[in-house]
Amino acid sequence: MKKICIIYTGGTIGMVPTERGYAPRKGYFSQALAEIDELQKPEVPDWEMVEFDPLLDSSNVAVNEWNRIGRTIRDRYDDYDGFVVLHGTDTMAYSASALSFMLDGLDKPVIFTGSQIPLCMLRSDARDNILTSLMIAGEGKVREVCLYFAGKLLRGNRSTKSSADRFVAFDSPNCAPLANAGIDITYEEGAIRHFRSDRKLRGPLGMFGGRLRLSEFQNTPIGVIKVFPGIQFRLFEQVMTDSLSGIVLETFGAGNIPEADGALLPMIRKAYENGTVIVVCSQCPQGTVHLGAYEASAALVGAGAVSGYDMTTEAAIAKLYYLFSQGLSRDDIKHYMEIDLRGELTK
Ligand code: ASP
C-alpha cells in the first residue's frame, strides 16, 4: 500500500469564515479530512498529514516557507511514496516553481494543490483536488514537482494562476498538461520528465549523485520590472545598486522594450557592471522571448541581459533564488539561467 504525506501549509482549502473574512484555523482541517469517506477508501493511498504552524494565507509564503516545505519533504523522503502540498492558490505557482529547483534529484511525486472554495463551503472544489492529487501521487507515474487543479496535472514550474474566480484557476501555456483527470486519469507520456534527464547536466549543478538533495534558498534581493508604454526608466535608477542580485524584466512580445527616454539601456548596463543578472521574460503568457529578433530587443543582449525564453515570471524568480543560493559566479548564473534545469524552459 502506497503512503503519501500531506503537507498542509494553509490557503483557502482549509479556511473557515471569520468576521474578518476567510482564515485558517489550527487543528480543524485534519479533523475535516478524516471525516471524508472517499479519502479512507482502499483505492486511495494511505496518507498522513503534517500541519504547518502558523497556517498561512499564501500571500505570506516566501523563501523561509519554501525552505520549510523543502525540509519537511527531505526529512520524510524515505518514509513516503509521495507528497501532496496543500497551499493557497495565490502564490502556489511560485512555490511549486521554487520547490522544483530546491529538490535536486527528486524521484517521487510532489503535488501542489488547493481550492477556490473552502472545503467547509457548498460547491467546494477541495474534495476532488485533494482526492485526485492523492491518487496521482500514489500512482507515482509523475515524479517531479507538479500542480494539480480542476482536472489537470501541470508541471509546477510551468504553471501560473490564470483566474481569481474560476475553478480552472491554473494554466501552463507553454507546456502540455502532464495528465488529464476525466473519467480516467490519462498521462501524457511525452510531456512527463524523468529523473534521469537531470543527469545530462554537467558542472556544479549536475553532481548530486542520484540522491535527493535539498538546496535551501537565501533571501536574495531580486526585482521584477514590468515594461509598459510610457515607462520612465529613470525612476528605477536608484534601485539599480550593486545590492540587487537579479531582475526579471517583463518585456513586450518576444523581448522588446521601448526606447522611451533612452534611460533603460544605460541603466541595464549599470546593473550589469554592478553584477546584477537581468533576465528577459515576456508579458505574453504563451510563446518565447527571442532576443535580437527585433531592433527593439537587440540592444538588451549587448547590455548583458540573458533570455528567459518561455519561462514564466514565477519560474524565473524561483530560478534566480536557486542559482544565487548555490554560490555560483555571475557568469555561471547567467549560463544556467538559459539552460533547462527542471523542464522550466524550451529553447
Ligand atoms: N488567499 C488564498 C491563498 O492564497 C487564496 C486561495 O487559497 O485560493 O492563500
Side-chain angles (χ1 to χ4, degrees):
M1 187 62 168
K2 295 287 183 72
K3 201 158 115 194
I4 306 300
C5 178
I6 298 180
I7 303 170
Y8 170 42
T9 67
T12 295
I13 193 160
M15 290 189 185
V16 291
T18 71
E19 275 169 14
R20 302 182 60 214
Y22 287 130
R25 194 170 69 205
K26 206 175 160 191
Y28 146 78
F29 193 61
S30 54
Q31 184 59 37
L33 283 195
E35 286 166 13
I36 299 178
D37 288 344
E38 288 111 304
L39 295 183
Q40 331 303 333
K41 294 219 182 275
E43 306 87 291
V44 178
D46 278 348
W47 55 271
E48 287 167 344
M49 195 169 95
V50 177
E51 178 170 316
F52 269 31
D53 184 16
L55 291 163
L56 296 165
D57 186 294
S58 73
S59 319
N60 298 314
V61 171
V63 169
N64 292 343
E65 291 70 30
W66 295 337
N67 288 340
R68 196 160 163 219
I69 298 171
R71 286 196 296 270
T72 308
I73 293 172
R74 184 209 42 208
D75 295 348
R76 291 162 180 76
Y77 192 67
D78 294 331
D79 302 332
Y80 294 93
D81 299 290
F83 298 84
V84 171
V85 183
L86 303 180
H87 192 288
T89 59
D90 288 345
T91 65
M92 196 188 291
Y94 289 91
S95 296
S97 298
L99 267 292
S100 78
F101 292 109
M102 200 179 263
L103 298 170
D104 280 326
L106 178 71
D107 198 21
K108 293 188 178 181
V110 172
I111 304 179
F112 278 76
T113 195
S115 72
Q116 292 283 57
I117 301 181
L119 178 69
C120 66
M121 304 300 283
L122 275 180
R123 298 184 56 245
S124 173
D125 48 336
R127 192 183 291 248
D128 170 67
N129 285 347
I130 298 174
L131 182 60
T132 309
S133 297
L134 277 173
M135 308 276 290
I136 292 174
E139 282 179 3
K141 290 201 175 132
V142 179
R143 300 199 297 273
E144 54 178 301
V145 177
C146 29
L147 186 156
Y148 176 79
F149 220 89
K152 286 198 187 307
L153 184 72
L154 309 174
R155 173 163 300 139
N157 57 34
R158 292 292 199 150
S159 64
T160 188
K161 185 170 179 182
S162 53
S163 173
D165 51 19
R166 294 199 180 132
F167 283 134
V168 182
F170 289 89
D171 196 5
S172 63
N174 287 315
C175 180
L178 308 181
N180 289 290
I183 291 177
D184 297 311
I185 298 172
T186 329
Y187 292 90
E188 294 301 324
E189 296 297 344
I192 295 172
R193 202 162 178 275
H194 295 286
F195 169 66
R196 308 227 174 288
S197 42
D198 283 354
R199 296 199 168 171
K200 287 193 302 247
L201 263 188
R202 292 184 206 292
L205 297 185
M207 302 186 299
F208 48 79
R211 287 282 307 158
L212 180 81
R213 187 187 69 184
L214 177 69
S215 299
E216 292 197 28
F217 288 4
Q218 288 151 18
N219 265 303
T220 310
I222 287 170
V224 178
I225 298 179
K226 180 167 183 162
V227 168
F228 59 90
I231 185 170
Q232 295 177 24
F233 288 113
R234 278 176 219 286
L235 299 179
F236 296 91
E237 228 165 288
Q238 274 150 343
V239 294
M240 295 289 182
T241 65
D242 54 7
S243 55
L244 189 61
S245 301
I247 295 176
V248 177
L249 197 62
E250 281 195 359
T251 57
F252 303 134
N256 303 317
I257 49 163
E259 279 178 36
D261 49 1
L264 179 64
L265 285 175
M267 214 176 71
I268 300 261
R269 244 178 251 121
K270 185 176 156 206
Y272 176 62
E273 281 155 20
N274 284 338
T276 307
V277 174
I278 313 236
V279 189
V280 182
C281 287
S282 175
Q283 292 173 19
C284 299
Q286 196 277 319
T288 187
V289 164
H290 188 177
L291 290 182
Y294 293 87
E295 202 186 351
S297 75
L300 278 173
V301 189
V306 297
S307 176
Y309 294 95
D310 58 353
M311 261 190 296
T312 59
T313 297
E314 292 90 324
I317 292 171
K319 194 169 177 180
L320 280 171
Y321 275 122
Y322 170 64
L323 294 175
F324 273 99
S325 306
Q326 300 293 307
L328 301 171
S329 69
R330 301 282 155 143
D331 281 345
D332 277 349
I333 292 174
K334 288 177 65 177
H335 167 75
Y336 283 120
M337 274 316 287
E338 294 195 336
I339 303 260
D340 174 19
L341 299 179
R342 303 278 194 273
E344 75 281 6
L345 62 81
T346 326
K347 257 180 140 160

